[in-house]
Amino acid sequence: MIYLLLVSFIWAFSFGLIKGNLTGLDSNFVSFARMALSLAVFAPFLRRTGLRTPLALQLIAIGAVQYGLMYLAYIYSFQFLQAYQVALFTIFTPLYVTLIHDLLTRRLHGFFLLTACLAIVGTGIIVYRDLDQSDLRLGFFLLQFSNICFAFGQTYYRRLLRKNPALKDHQIFGLLYLGATLVTLLAAGYSTGWSLPTLSTTHVLTLLYLGILASGICFFLWNYGAKQVDAGALAILNNLKVPLAVACSALFFHETVDLQRLLLGGAFILGALFLNESLARKLYGENA
């Protein structure tokens, strides 16, 4: 769980960068740049020894969905939504993680569904605001598609690696970023006419931070950590970055936050995690 917590803290500092520092850049190019940088980080570690071609193709497909399609929809949604609306509409990811896990295992885990809903309620308490209706519907559906892609990828990767314990994460993770890079390259080429946009120093530094740390290293740690916890904890922890981001805004950037809502929503999320850690193994055993 420590890997998921660490990544949540890092992502908590990253919420405003896309909206604030990358305005004006083609959203597909931003997605491609992040994934290409992530691929560059992990390409030197890539090893095909003992990796069957069907398994390699599955890993490429996971990356194409979890990071490629997810980022295309996620970053494009910023054209239709305010930053707080993006934060609000990502809160349903725990539900998708739980439902996809149930589909893959062909077993309904009602307790995981309950704790995921508690996490959603808690996060909703923190980030809910009256919504500006302009372009809301398209932005909402883009975010839900993005959430489903991210939920599917981490859940399927967790299941695949548990079935193939001999695989070393750092030696295969470049394949995920390869899949994501190919998808985002095609999208970026189509939308930009295969021309490189003009980049300011702020653009370059922001893309380097997002591509190397927030995407490259953090996505690796997230999927690696996903193998170490049950599906219920994985679902809940998908929303932990939201209260952490709000708390970071108050502590480090001196922004005004509703402390009561932050504490109440955080209590829901931590309560859901406590319930899950207390009862999940008793209900579902070690392989939940």
Side-chain angles (χ1 to χ4, degrees), residues 39-47:
L39 175 60
V41 171
F42 279 87
F45 303 103
L46 188 60
R47 299 290 183 274

Side-chain angles (χ1 to χ4, degrees), residues 98-228:
T98 302
L99 294 177
I100 291 170
H101 173 260
D102 288 349
L103 286 173
L104 291 176
T105 59
R106 299 180 182 178
R107 178 185 178 187
L108 178 64
H109 297 76
F111 181 70
F112 288 163
L113 186 61
L114 171 63
T115 54
C117 289
L118 286 175
I120 292 171
V121 170
T123 315
I125 290 172
I126 296 170
V127 299
Y128 179 77
R129 289 166 54 183
D130 292 333
L131 297 176
D132 177 5
Q133 296 299 312
S134 61
D135 292 325
L136 190 64
R137 186 176 302 172
L138 178 56
F140 175 82
F141 284 114
L142 283 169
L143 255 298
Q144 299 323 300
F145 178 75
S146 174
N147 294 341
I148 291 170
C149 288
F150 190 57
F152 171 80
Q154 62 187 280
T155 306
Y156 195 86
Y157 180 86
R158 173 180 177 272
R159 181 176 174 82
L160 187 66
L161 268 289
R162 284 190 167 190
K163 286 185 174 181
N164 298 272
L167 295 178
K168 303 298 183 183
D169 296 79
H170 68 284
Q171 294 181 349
I172 61 171
F173 217 79
L175 291 174
L176 276 74
Y177 290 136
L178 174 60
T181 300
L182 292 174
V183 169
T184 53
L185 174 61
L186 292 174
Y190 175 80
S191 60
T192 64
W194 301 98
S195 61
L196 185 67
T198 302
L199 300 177
S200 68
T201 301
T202 299
H203 290 152
V204 172
L205 292 177
T206 302
L207 288 172
L208 285 173
Y209 169 81
L210 293 173
I212 294 173
L213 180 60
S215 294
I217 296 174
C218 284
F219 280 145
F220 168 77
L221 291 177
W222 186 267
N223 275 24
Y224 181 78
K227 300 187 306 176
Q228 320 300 324

Side-chain angles (χ1 to χ4, degrees), residues 66-83:
Q66 184 180 359
Y67 305 135
L69 295 178
M70 179 275 288
Y71 260 139
L72 292 175
Y74 174 75
I75 297 181
Y76 187 52
S77 73
F78 278 84
Q79 298 188 26
F80 307 98
L81 300 172
Q82 299 298 316

Side-chain angles (χ1 to χ4, degrees), residues 25-46:
L25 286 184
D26 178 76
S27 62
N28 292 335
F29 172 78
V30 172
S31 300
F32 164 69
R34 293 183 70 165
M35 293 299 94
L37 288 167
S38 299
L39 175 60
V41 171
F42 279 87
F45 303 103
L46 188 60

